[in-house]
Amino acid sequence: MGQEPGTGPVVHGYHKQKDEHLKRLRRIEGQIRGLQRLVDEDVYCIDILTQVSASTKALQSFALQLLEEHLRHCVADAAVRGGEEVDAKVEEATKAIARLLRT
């Protein structure tokens, strides 16, 4: 993963913000651990659901940012190269958006 056969390392659209993304994911991980603690401490259901909503929104926000970076980098790069690759990248992005909308 991260390298295609016969080429150098693949640089993904999120590469420039990798540290920022990891920091954000660690924060989300902390929210999930907080949910575990709330359940363990028998906190009121609605309070837990409020935190579930916050965690869900954080993941959705992360996903949208990652999708934007994919469109700006990977899809735009394929569009410059042209050919069938651009169609494949657009289809791939469309399917990713569809998965996000189902959540």
Side-chain angles (χ1 to χ4, degrees):
M1 189 165 126
Q3 188 165 340
E4 296 174 4
T7 67
V10 175
V11 177
H12 299 289
Y14 61 84
H15 179 74
K16 291 180 181 176
Q17 290 82 23
K18 187 174 180 178
D19 289 340
E20 178 185 320
H21 288 322
L22 288 171
K23 182 179 178 181
R24 193 170 187 185
L25 287 169
R26 286 185 193 103
R27 195 172 324 129
I28 293 168
E29 180 182 23
Q31 287 178 298
I32 302 305
R33 289 181 195 275
L35 283 169
Q36 293 171 334
R37 190 187 78 253
L38 294 176
V39 171
D40 187 49
E41 294 173 359
D42 296 317
V43 172
Y44 184 56
C45 301
I46 297 301
D47 294 337
I48 296 172
L49 288 170
T50 299
Q51 293 305 311
V52 167
S53 179
S55 299
T56 300
K57 294 292 183 198
L59 274 172
Q60 288 172 338
S61 176
F62 173 76
L64 285 174
Q65 184 175 2
L66 199 60
L67 178 62
E68 180 181 355
E69 291 166 0
H70 176 70
L71 293 172
R72 289 185 186 278
H73 181 268
C74 302
V75 176
D77 188 52
V80 168
R81 286 195 303 266
E84 293 179 13
E85 186 178 351
V86 68
D87 293 333
K89 290 291 182 186
V90 169
E91 182 179 350
E92 181 182 60
T94 302
K95 288 179 180 179
I97 293 166
R99 285 191 301 273
L100 287 172
L101 290 175
R102 284 190 294 247
T103 59

